[in-house]
Amino acid sequence: MSINGRPLERSALITYGSETGNAQDFAEDLGRLTQRLRFMTCVCRLDAVELSTLSNYSIVIFSVSTTGQGDVPINARLFWKNLLRKKLSPTCLQDLEFTVFGLGDSSYPKFNWAARKIQKRLLQLGAIELFPRGEADEQHPEGLDASFVPWSTDLRQHLLARFPLAEGVSPIPDDVLLNPKWTVSLIDSVSSGLSEDHIDASLSPRNPRGLQGLTAPSEHSPKNHKSRENSDSEIRNLTVILEKNHRLTPCEHWQDVRHIVFTSAVPASYGPGDVLTIYPKNFQDDVNLLISIMQWTDVADRPIQCTQAQPSLESNNEAPPFSGLQDSQFTTLRILLTENLDFTAIPRRSFFSTIAHFTPDSMHKERLREFTKPDYIDELYDYTTRPRRSILEVLQEFDSVRIPWQWAVSVLPELRGRQFSIASGGQLKRDSENKTRFELLVAIVKYKTVIKKIREGVCTRYLAALPAGAQLPVTLQKGGLAITKKEIKHPVIMIGPGTGVAPIRSLLWERLQWVNQMTSQSRFINDSSSLDNGNEAGENILFFGCRKRNADYFFQDEWADMMWRTSLQVFTAFSRDQSRKIYVQDVIKEQADLVFRLIHKGGAIVYICGSSGRMPKGVRASLLDVFQISGGMNEVAADHYLRTMEKEGRYKQETW
């Protein structure tokens, strides 16, 4: 903040652009770091920040993830748009001191692009980089923390040197519990002025979340549709009905994959690559277990409200503890644990730091604090991420910990929605009653860990149990593939192994509809040759991979039908149907001449969808081989050719 235009001494703004919540989590960590260094601290999303206020802080720290094809997250796009205004003076941010931490996935060509773009633009506008940019990689063997922990440790030392504390003043020690930003408290119907009937009605099944008077939901909230849609056209909130929940894979197959169909009576448009966010709920058995372990039974079903425990520098910008819950609204602890708080998630370092304050057991306290130390990052990874150990399991093992129920919203992370690529397109986007139709291809996450325990994904477990007719809120969001109708003239080479074929299926049905529209238009104007005069549709090539033809070859009947209705060619890789494992990248090289011809002479667009990690890197390597084998290029020229395709938007990747 500022006084008379000058930055307030020792003030810090930690601002984030986050798609799945990781960048927000790191921003909260950095907020606690600056608090302990006695900075007046504000943590908020980038779109809540005005450019004119950036220089009001002693230090601004950006925590930014990259999404899509090197894009900034949705809750940072307004800020990024403002930052790109041509009228901005090259010295308008000369009083800003900042640093940036980026989160990315190195299997994408534009690794950490968003953080790098923001850093570059800030420097162009005269801002001063106080500390070198840090970058985390989801593909790192030890996860994002492997880069964040050493970077934040060095940042702490730099901030202490750059902004020394007054003589006799020390940083707040780690063994001192910071006050929570938000707490929950019981509602007294007398002192609150609310009747018991009013409170009971707010918690009735017609309003299962028990939330009143929503005014400003956060970027992931399925609430208050109108206000959110007006502020961001890339997001649409809907209520859908589950029409179909069908298992595609045989019962004896190792993985349960579902074909799920939703409909909405509200018209909604979407395109290939767009995603549907599902908001899961925790199962009551797990909720009851946590309530029992924490000894919250007496208050679990009493009306409570969430209040901001301490004012922030920018109270209007400060996000609520989770989406859809605002100051002074009321609910119950059981509802929060069912619908809003994620206690089945893998705990982060900050969780161990906080719960260490809530145990009288000295051995437990010491062990919990060890997990928060940079020197113990390997042990933390082995204890949490490697076996996928959940918060609930940690609380069972450290059974002396008793989190005060008033702290629940500050200690437990938000139960965030999960994104799924939409698998329907073209004529599949409407049902026989003209309702909007959404089809998903969902792999139910259930597996055994290295410690021989069964793990289930919180959202896919929720989806698997949903009966037909279930009604639920969802969010429709633009994807990162940026597919347009103009691309119909280009050939497309689609690589979509496993459930990665979902957005590919959407694209194929969409292209089929575009072709039909072009044909109808040519007939209407009595010009049967128009499709042969530069308006013809490009070829469709699909590379699909799975384990076994008879187990997880999704939509194979559709591909057979499309092969005679369109110019579709399908090349398959069934990795377990023979002694030698074959993957899509192997089949791409087998079809090197065809692939190169379509790319080099036809201007083909390449789409890669599916699991991140080895697959997209393997596909990229195969394309480089194709350019050398069939294009006669050397290694350097092949790499330059592929990078040019990326710049032209002819190499697109959507992996998860």
Side-chain angles (χ1 to χ4, degrees), residues 138 177 208 264 289 345 384 480 596 621 651:
E138 288 188 9
L177 182 62
S264 171
L289 178 57
T384 57
F596 184 73
Y651 182 92

Side-chain angles (χ1 to χ4, degrees), residues 255-456:
Q255 188 172 48
D256 178 357
V257 178
R258 301 293 180 93
H259 182 200
I260 296 176
V261 180
F262 296 108
T263 59
S264 171
V266 178
S269 62
Y270 62 89
D274 290 354
V275 298
L276 205 66
T277 300
I278 307 293
Y279 299 89
K281 296 180 183 180
N282 287 309
F283 279 56
Q284 282 306 307
D285 288 347
D286 295 332
V287 172
N288 292 336
L289 178 57
L290 180 62
I291 289 173
S292 175
I293 291 172
M294 291 295 102
Q295 299 179 1
W296 292 342
T297 304
D298 292 344
V299 296
D301 298 298
R302 296 178 64 184
I304 59 174
Q305 65 181 349
C306 183
T307 55
Q308 196 166 7
Q310 54 178 329
S312 66
L313 289 179
E314 299 278 356
S315 296
N316 292 333
N317 287 347
E318 197 78 47
F322 44 80
S323 302
L325 186 68
Q326 303 298 313
D327 197 7
S328 299
Q329 296 160 357
F330 50 91
T331 180
T332 69
L333 188 59
R334 187 181 301 278
I335 290 174
L336 293 184
L337 294 173
T338 301
E339 301 188 1
N340 300 100
L341 298 173
D342 191 358
F343 53 85
T344 63
I346 298 172
R348 304 190 67 251
R349 290 173 64 248
S350 57
F351 175 78
F352 291 96
S353 175
T354 303
I355 66 171
H357 295 282
F358 301 133
T359 173
D361 188 307
S362 58
M363 291 183 63
H364 280 181
K365 187 184 297 287
E366 181 181 0
R367 183 56 174 159
L368 289 167
R369 285 180 176 162
E370 281 180 349
F371 284 134
T372 69
K373 297 177 181 178
D375 293 344
Y376 285 78
I377 190 171
D378 292 345
E379 287 196 36
L380 176 63
Y381 182 84
D382 289 339
Y383 179 70
T384 57
T385 305
R386 190 180 299 280
R388 315 297 292 179
R389 186 175 268 109
S390 70
I391 287 174
L392 182 59
E393 290 173 319
V394 170
L395 293 174
Q396 287 177 287
E397 293 180 13
F398 289 88
D399 56 5
S400 65
V401 172
R402 294 290 181 269
I403 301 170
W405 60 268
Q406 297 91 336
W407 283 67
V409 297
S410 291
V411 177
L412 299 175
E414 177 184 359
L415 181 56
R416 295 187 171 100
R418 270 58 168 181
Q419 295 181 343
F420 296 91
S421 289
I422 299 172
S424 46
Q427 67 185 53
L428 300 183
K429 295 194 290 187
R430 296 288 183 273
D431 69 1
S432 58
E433 299 177 358
N434 204 34
K435 293 179 181 178
T436 306
R437 180 182 173 98
F438 303 96
E439 298 189 30
L440 305 180
L441 183 64
V442 178
I444 305 303
V445 179
K446 186 175 183 180
Y447 58 95
K448 189 175 290 186
T449 70
V450 293
I451 57 174
K452 308 302 180 184
K453 286 195 173 184
I454 298 295
R455 293 286 181 267
E456 296 182 77

Side-chain angles (χ1 to χ4, degrees), residues 348-610:
R348 304 190 67 251
R349 290 173 64 248
S350 57
F351 175 78
F352 291 96
S353 175
T354 303
I355 66 171
H357 295 282
F358 301 133
T359 173
D361 188 307
S362 58
M363 291 183 63
H364 280 181
K365 187 184 297 287
E366 181 181 0
R367 183 56 174 159
L368 289 167
R369 285 180 176 162
E370 281 180 349
F371 284 134
T372 69
K373 297 177 181 178
D375 293 344
Y376 285 78
I377 190 171
D378 292 345
E379 287 196 36
L380 176 63
Y381 182 84
D382 289 339
Y383 179 70
T384 57
T385 305
R386 190 180 299 280
R388 315 297 292 179
R389 186 175 268 109
S390 70
I391 287 174
L392 182 59
E393 290 173 319
V394 170
L395 293 174
Q396 287 177 287
E397 293 180 13
F398 289 88
D399 56 5
S400 65
V401 172
R402 294 290 181 269
I403 301 170
W405 60 268
Q406 297 91 336
W407 283 67
V409 297
S410 291
V411 177
L412 299 175
E414 177 184 359
L415 181 56
R416 295 187 171 100
R418 270 58 168 181
Q419 295 181 343
F420 296 91
S421 289
I422 299 172
S424 46
Q427 67 185 53
L428 300 183
K429 295 194 290 187
R430 296 288 183 273
D431 69 1
S432 58
E433 299 177 358
N434 204 34
K435 293 179 181 178
T436 306
R437 180 182 173 98
F438 303 96
E439 298 189 30
L440 305 180
L441 183 64
V442 178
I444 305 303
V445 179
K446 186 175 183 180
Y447 58 95
K448 189 175 290 186
T449 70
V450 293
I451 57 174
K452 308 302 180 184
K453 286 195 173 184
I454 298 295
R455 293 286 181 267
E456 296 182 77
V458 64
C459 192
T460 59
R461 178 189 180 196
Y462 167 72
L463 282 174
L466 279 180
Q471 184 173 298
L472 61 157
V474 299
T475 299
L476 175 62
Q477 181 176 323
K478 289 291 183 184
L481 293 178
I483 297 170
T484 67
K485 191 173 181 179
K486 294 179 181 179
E487 296 178 3
I488 187 62
K489 298 178 183 179
H490 291 269
V492 289
I493 298 172
M494 301 161 287
I495 301 103
T499 56
V501 81
I504 300 300
R505 179 178 184 251
S506 175
L507 175 58
L508 279 168
W509 277 103
E510 200 80 359
R511 285 174 68 88
L512 176 59
Q513 179 167 283
W514 291 339
V515 168
N516 291 337
Q517 289 172 350
M518 291 169 59
T519 304
S520 298
Q521 289 170 1
S522 67
R523 289 173 180 169
F524 179 76
I525 61 176
N526 295 319
D527 184 6
S528 60
S529 64
S530 64
L531 291 179
D532 299 320
N533 293 329
N535 292 322
E536 70 277 4
E539 296 179 58
N540 303 293
I541 308 297
L542 169 62
F543 289 95
F544 176 81
C546 63
R547 290 200 172 195
K548 294 178 177 292
R549 175 186 289 273
N550 295 327
D552 49 353
Y553 185 11
F554 307 125
F555 308 119
Q556 57 176 309
D557 293 339
E558 285 188 18
W559 309 145
D561 179 61
M562 281 191 177
M563 287 173 71
W564 69 264
R565 297 173 64 184
T566 70
S567 58
L568 175 65
Q569 295 184 66
V570 180
F571 299 98
T572 54
F574 304 112
S575 62
R576 303 301 196 275
D577 275 349
Q578 60 285 312
S579 58
R580 182 176 70 89
K581 292 180 181 179
I582 300 175
Y583 299 104
V584 286
Q585 49 265 45
D586 301 315
V587 180
I588 289 171
K589 285 193 286 187
E590 291 175 2
Q591 301 298 324
D593 289 343
L594 171 64
V595 170
F596 184 73
R597 174 180 64 80
L598 292 176
I599 291 175
H600 188 63
K601 294 184 178 180
I605 302 171
V606 176
Y607 296 100
I608 304 169
C609 302

